[in-house]
Amino acid sequence: MLNITYTERIVTYYENKVSKKYYIKTFGCQMNVYDSQRIAGILQSLGYQEASSQPNADIVIFNTCHIREKAAEKVFSDLGRALLIKNERKEQGKDTIIGVCGCVVQAEDEQIAKRAPFVDFATGPLTYHRLPEILAKIARKKGISVIDTEFPPESKFDFLPQNQSESACSYLAIQEGCNNFCTYCVVPYTRGVEYSRPIAEILQEAERLIDTGSLELNLLGQNVNSYHGEDEQGKERNLAYLLHRLSELDGLKRLRYTTSYPADMTDDLIACHKDIPQLMPYLHLPIQSGSNSVLKAMNRRHTKDDYLQIIDKLYQANPNIGMSSDFIVGFPGETDRDFQDTLDVVNKVKYIQAFSFKYSKRPGTPAAVMPHQIEEKVKKERLEILQNLLFDYQDKFNRACIGKVMPVLFENKGRHSGQLIGRTPYMQNLHAELPKENLNKIINIKITDATTNSLSGKAV
Ligand code: 5AD
Ligand code: SF4
């Protein structure tokens, strides 16, 4: 294994310019989707083009997720399959580089070296900007593998090639890392401490994305509403300020931000939901559990009542806002009573969408060694009850949309010809029969039909 000294410069551009192909498979959160787009940008700047499928690729990258055990294990089975493809290609005289990026690398670099020694390189979520040097190293010394999991002193954002919008909805990372240390969560260990990008850098990236076709920007951060980047005068600014600055950009029609932490929902941020017309009436605000004792054991800095008060303020700012959340069931020590408190929150907030998970023990986190771990059977039962309730509210909300007219941003072609798929302001998927000229446009649609997971409608 070699460590990156970071003194080498890019030498592979001309070598790779001739029809080398890349294939990236992304696991996990929206931040990983954003990172994969930036990794693709680096590879394109080195002359690579996107491959139509994995067997056609000269370089295969898995951008991995470590948040729950299942996601992390999936990587190793995919790596096994990648080795088979690499061997088949070798018989045809073609080399394949296999790389792993993302949070599994940060947490399990030794496991990767042990369980998948054929991996050519592994680089963490904060170091993938060093990919050109890594590839140069591999090109020069065939047969070596490079693992780079340092928390680097530099910001990767200063080294990435300029990105362009790939569709009318773009992700824009404004903040990374987390200082909250919820006791179940690996993020503070894999993505490191909080870092906020400066305002000017974000505005520049936003303008570039808008100039190349973005109508909607979704600002990303593990703890996005604790954003505290410097403005042009070096003054620290919060997310509310940044949203106002972004809302002044010509051509930007829609703004979103995710994922937020309840204790960081400041009054000026809540007021943005009243004052900024581009801010969509949808907010993902994870509570995780409705029980105060579980929240305390999770090291969350809010109670159930604090959370419900924030929701009240949000509804006052914008009565049409739709809420979403993450939930964990079966956290160590969670009793039936605690679980009932979670159901109670769901019945009060009436989420229009939500994500719910069984607690998954993550090595190295405090909750993994807490007493009173919950049996798998109980976790499964609680998850089913919670999901049925959540789906019920989602279904009710979707059906209540029938007859309404909503502006829909069409991002993709549908499965049938003549059909487009878009998103409503509430993040619902919507299908409509529309000519493809309407792709990447916002069209007013009358909702004609609804299921739990999607809507359909007609242009008005
Ligand atoms: N087990 C189950 N779910 C988890 N999450 C984070 N860590 C764990 C874990 N150890 C969930 C939280 C978080 C979402 C991204 O993943 O609900 O908000
Ligand atoms: Fe993980 Fe979110 Fe808690 Fe940070 S706030 S530790 S990212 S669950």
Side-chain angles (χ1 to χ4, degrees):
M1 302 295 160
L2 279 187
N3 270 332
I4 301 296
T5 55
Y6 204 58
T7 52
E8 300 168 70
R9 283 319 308 161
I10 304 165
V11 292
T12 43
Y13 182 88
Y14 289 103
E15 278 172 34
N16 286 319
K17 212 170 162 59
V18 193
S19 73
K20 292 262 179 170
K21 298 243 157 64
Y22 68 86
Y23 179 86
I24 303 174
K25 180 161 178 183
T26 309
F27 300 83
C29 64
Q30 290 145 322
M31 189 66 99
N32 263 14
V33 175
Y34 175 85
D35 285 338
S36 289
Q37 287 166 355
R38 305 305 302 260
I39 291 167
I42 296 173
L43 294 172
Q44 285 160 13
S45 76
L46 294 174
Y48 283 85
Q49 290 168 356
E50 190 173 3
S52 54
S53 66
Q54 192 177 330
N56 290 328
D58 304 284
I59 176 164
V60 175
I61 294 182
F62 297 97
N63 193 11
T64 61
C65 172
H66 199 247
I67 200 100
R68 284 170 292 275
E69 191 181 357
K70 237 191 203 162
E73 274 308 306
K74 179 101 188 26
V75 177
F76 289 101
S77 60
D78 275 33
L79 280 172
R81 216 167 311 127
L83 177 61
L84 295 179
I85 295 174
K86 180 176 173 135
N87 289 341
E88 274 169 27
R89 281 173 52 91
K90 201 167 186 180
E91 282 170 18
Q92 300 158 15
K94 295 178 197 159
D95 275 342
T96 314
I97 294 174
I98 299 178
V100 188
C101 298
C103 293
V104 171
V105 177
Q106 208 64 44
E108 297 196 30
D109 51 345
E110 284 170 14
Q111 281 293 316
I112 292 173
K114 211 153 74 194
R115 290 175 66 180
F118 52 87
V119 163
D120 296 287
F121 71 88
T123 179
L126 304 181
T127 42
Y128 65 77
H129 58 290
R130 298 173 176 176
L131 209 49
E133 287 88 57
I134 294 175
L135 293 180
K137 218 164 228 173
I138 292 170
R140 277 204 308 278
K141 300 187 189 170
K142 288 213 181 302
I144 65 155
S145 44
V146 183
I147 294 202
D148 186 10
T149 53
E150 193 195 351
F151 282 126
E154 75 276 8
S155 157
K156 69 183 179 197
F157 296 106
D158 294 339
F159 294 87
L160 296 172
Q162 296 198 338
N163 54 348
Q164 302 208 330
S165 78
E166 294 189 355
S167 79
C169 298
S170 294
Y171 291 130
L172 202 177
I174 64 163
Q175 180 275 340
E176 184 159 29
C178 185
N179 298 347
N180 284 327
F181 290 93
C182 299
T183 52
Y184 51 81
C185 184
V186 290
V187 167
Y189 313 99
T190 58
R191 294 260 174 186
V193 293
E194 276 182 23
Y195 167 76
S196 295
R197 296 176 71 187
I199 298 267
E201 192 180 304
I202 295 167
L203 290 175
Q204 217 177 43
E205 187 167 333
E207 280 172 0
R208 201 165 59 235
L209 291 170
I210 296 164
D211 283 349
T212 51
S214 290
L215 299 174
E216 173 176 315
L217 294 180
N218 195 342
L219 310 181
L220 297 184
Q222 265 83 34
N223 192 0
V224 74
N225 60 339
S226 83
Y227 175 83
H228 53 270
E230 280 186 3
D231 72 7
E232 294 83 344
Q233 282 72 46
K235 187 169 173 198
E236 205 170 278
R237 299 290 194 167
N238 66 9
L239 180 60
Y241 175 87
L242 176 63
L243 286 169
H244 279 283
R245 290 287 300 272
L246 286 164
S247 72
E248 288 160 9
L249 297 179
D250 274 347
L252 182 61
K253 306 283 186 224
R254 291 177 162 199
L255 263 171
R256 304 179 188 273
Y257 60 93
T258 199
T259 292
S260 294
Y261 187 78
D264 294 320
M265 285 307 298
T266 52
D267 285 345
D268 56 352
L269 179 56
I270 292 172
C272 290
H273 288 271
K274 178 162 145 247
D275 300 332
I276 299 182
Q278 296 97 321
L279 196 56
M280 290 291 100
Y282 169 89
L283 185 65
H284 182 62
L285 188 63
I287 185 170
Q288 310 296 356
S289 164
S291 150
N292 286 339
S293 60
V294 172
L295 287 169
K296 195 156 178 233
M298 286 177 163
N299 192 33
R300 303 278 295 180
R301 287 180 285 114
H302 59 88
T303 62
K304 173 185 176 188
D305 280 349
D306 296 335
Y307 181 87
L308 292 174
Q309 265 175 28
I310 294 164
I311 303 279
D312 269 354
K313 285 190 195 170
L314 281 161
Y315 283 137
Q316 277 168 33
N318 181 354
N320 295 321
I321 205 161
M323 295 302 305
S324 156
S325 178
D326 290 339
F327 296 92
I328 296 176
V329 298
F331 185 81
E334 185 190 66
T335 62
D336 278 336
R337 181 74 200 279
D338 293 322
F339 178 59
Q340 286 305 320
D341 285 338
T342 299
L343 299 180
D344 183 49
V345 168
V346 175
N347 285 320
K348 288 204 161 89
V349 180
K350 302 180 174 42
Y351 294 96
I352 67 166
Q353 201 195 348
F355 305 88
S356 44
F357 314 99
K358 288 185 284 187
Y359 167 70
S360 167
K361 240 185 188 184
R362 306 313 289 125
T365 58
V369 290
M370 282 183 184
H372 312 297
Q373 297 283 331
I374 305 294
E375 261 181 86
E376 185 59 27
K377 182 170 152 277
V378 176
K379 287 187 201 171
K380 207 170 151 221
E381 279 166 12
R382 288 183 185 162
L383 187 67
E384 202 178 314
I385 293 168
L386 175 62
Q387 289 189 334
N388 282 338
L389 187 64
L390 289 167
F391 286 150
D392 237 30
Y393 282 113
Q394 185 173 326
D395 194 72
K396 272 198 192 109
F397 180 76
N398 284 355
R399 287 181 199 284
C401 292
I402 296 175
K404 291 188 177 155
V405 174
M406 288 190 198
V408 177
L409 174 45
F410 287 95
E411 288 169 74
N412 291 305
K413 287 185 186 156
R415 239 181 286 150
H416 315 296
S417 74
Q419 191 187 50
L420 298 183
I421 303 177
R423 293 241 194 208
T424 70
Y426 294 102
M427 290 294 258
Q428 296 146 299
N429 280 319
L430 182 138
H431 305 254
E433 304 294 322
L434 277 175
K436 63 177 186 309
E437 290 68 41
N438 293 295
L439 211 52
N440 297 325
K441 286 192 184 144
I442 297 174
I443 313 277
N444 277 332
I445 298 288
K446 183 162 186 175
I447 316 299
T448 52
D449 217 343
T451 66
T452 310
N453 294 316
S454 70
L455 306 178
S456 44
K458 287 193 169 70
V460 290

